[in-house]
Amino acid sequence: DVADAPGAGALVLKGGAVSFRGVGFSHAGRSRSIKDVDIDIEAGSFVGVCGPSGAGKSTILRLLFRFYDPETGAVAIDGQDLTGVTQESLRDALGLVPQDVVLFNDTLRANVAYGKPDATEVEIIEALERAQLGEFLRRLPDGLDTKVGERGLKLSGGEKQRVGVARTIIKNPAVLVLDEATSALDSQTEKEVQGALAEASRGRTTISVAHRLSTIAEADRIFVMDEGEIAEVGTHEALLKLGGIYAGMWKRQSETGEGRSGEAQTAG
Ligand code: ATP
């Protein structure tokens, strides 16, 4: 529903710092979905966002992508209110690896180049290597020209996710958003995808929305949402010490084995 403001200019990137200041928003006909949300994300840092179902995590992402404008407060990138910049420049600045990466019924080349239509072959191969699909590519008889998707080669969940990561790497956005990017994967596959995601997020502002807390345990800062508000902020260690919502979620996930894998399994 949003439109470019008259005279809106392009977002000028200076590293990709993100801020939410006093942000409130309610979905039509609902009481407040989020209120008084303050989030400060330094350029180049890695933050996690977690919290119970319905806490407002997706609403935060939708406001960042400017699917809606806040009712109170402001969302900004590098100090520029998103309502004052062009949507095209905002879309260029943001990259998303979604829960479920969708492949088009086309070649692997076209599926990766979707992130940058004028990408060269060298760039496409480099993006696949960085997304840890180099081996996979070398095994394909038709290489980049292999058809993938519905009527082509069926990719595993982890391979599909990594094609999504390659797309994002080639796009090279200032701000990377991971929306529970590893939810549907077994732990070995999750490890491979995590490796690709770590490569994609290196030196880049990254916001990871997680149900499984192991995926954000190493974050510079974790924002814990509850009932539309930021309830707790801190590192994994600090939040465990605090003994609040995060610590409770971590304990539950540790007990059930849900949401823990890789490094974090031995850390807690
Ligand atoms: P989950 O972990 O289940 O994905 P979440 O933390 O992402 O949850 P949101 O999806 O942001 O939570 O939802 C926050 C609140 O806004 C909830 O009360 C939800 O019911 C409400 N909400 C979300 N989307 C809509 C919508 N399109 N229309 C009406 N209400 C909505």
Side-chain angles (χ1 to χ4, degrees), residues 27-28 30-34 51-60 62 68 99 209 211 225 228:
H27 289 278
R30 299 280 187 123
S31 56
R32 271 292 137 87
S33 293
I34 62 165
S53 185
K57 305 180 294 295
S58 309
T59 303
I60 294 287
R62 291 191 211 116
Y68 347 102
Q99 281 187 23
V209 171
H211 287 268
M225 298 198 69

Side-chain angles (χ1 to χ4, degrees), residues 37-193:
V37 166
D38 288 312
I39 297 178
D40 258 301
I41 304 172
E42 263 177 56
S45 68
F46 183 103
V47 308
V49 178
C50 63
S53 185
K57 305 180 294 295
S58 309
T59 303
I60 294 287
L61 294 190
R62 291 191 211 116
L63 286 161
L64 177 61
F65 280 84
R66 209 183 160 211
F67 294 143
Y68 347 102
D69 286 330
E71 285 160 8
T72 65
V75 183
I77 295 179
D78 287 332
Q80 298 148 80
D81 190 321
L82 300 188
T83 61
V85 302
T86 62
Q87 290 174 84
E88 193 187 358
S89 67
L90 177 62
R91 271 196 304 274
D92 286 346
L94 296 169
L96 173 73
V97 180
Q99 281 187 23
D100 200 4
V101 170
V102 176
L103 297 183
F104 312 110
N105 210 355
D106 204 332
T107 59
L108 180 61
R109 180 198 308 278
N111 269 283
V112 175
Y114 177 72
K116 185 184 179 193
D118 63 350
T120 65
E121 176 146 339
V122 171
E123 287 176 311
I124 293 170
I125 293 170
E126 191 201 275
L128 285 164
E129 293 281 357
R130 289 182 59 198
Q132 308 197 357
L133 284 170
E135 270 307 307
F136 168 79
L137 175 62
R138 282 184 284 279
R139 282 201 313 272
L140 295 175
D142 293 327
L144 288 177
D145 295 319
T146 305
K147 291 265 193 200
V148 296
E150 254 168 76
R151 268 168 285 147
L153 183 71
K154 198 112 175 74
L155 267 55
S156 74
E159 288 159 353
K160 250 168 60 174
Q161 280 280 340
R162 282 179 284 160
V163 172
V165 175
R167 256 181 207 162
T168 306
I169 286 175
I170 212 163
K171 183 180 179 187
N172 196 24
V175 179
L176 174 62
V177 175
L178 311 177
D179 189 7
E180 187 73 34
T182 57
S183 58
L185 307 173
D186 63 65
S187 63
Q188 175 54 34
T189 313
E190 184 189 331
K191 247 186 177 163
E192 290 163 13
V193 174

Side-chain angles (χ1 to χ4, degrees), residues 223-265:
F223 293 84
V224 186
M225 298 198 69
D226 189 33
E227 297 189 1
E229 294 183 78
I230 303 291
E232 299 170 3
V233 184
T235 60
H236 172 75
E237 285 73 24
L239 290 171
L240 285 187
K241 241 184 232 155
L242 188 69
I245 299 169
Y246 182 90
M249 287 171 71
W250 181 261
K251 185 159 178 277
R252 268 195 306 283
Q253 294 192 0
S254 313
E255 282 163 6
T256 58
E258 173 207 356
R260 307 192 75 197
S261 71
E263 301 305 299
Q265 211 146 37

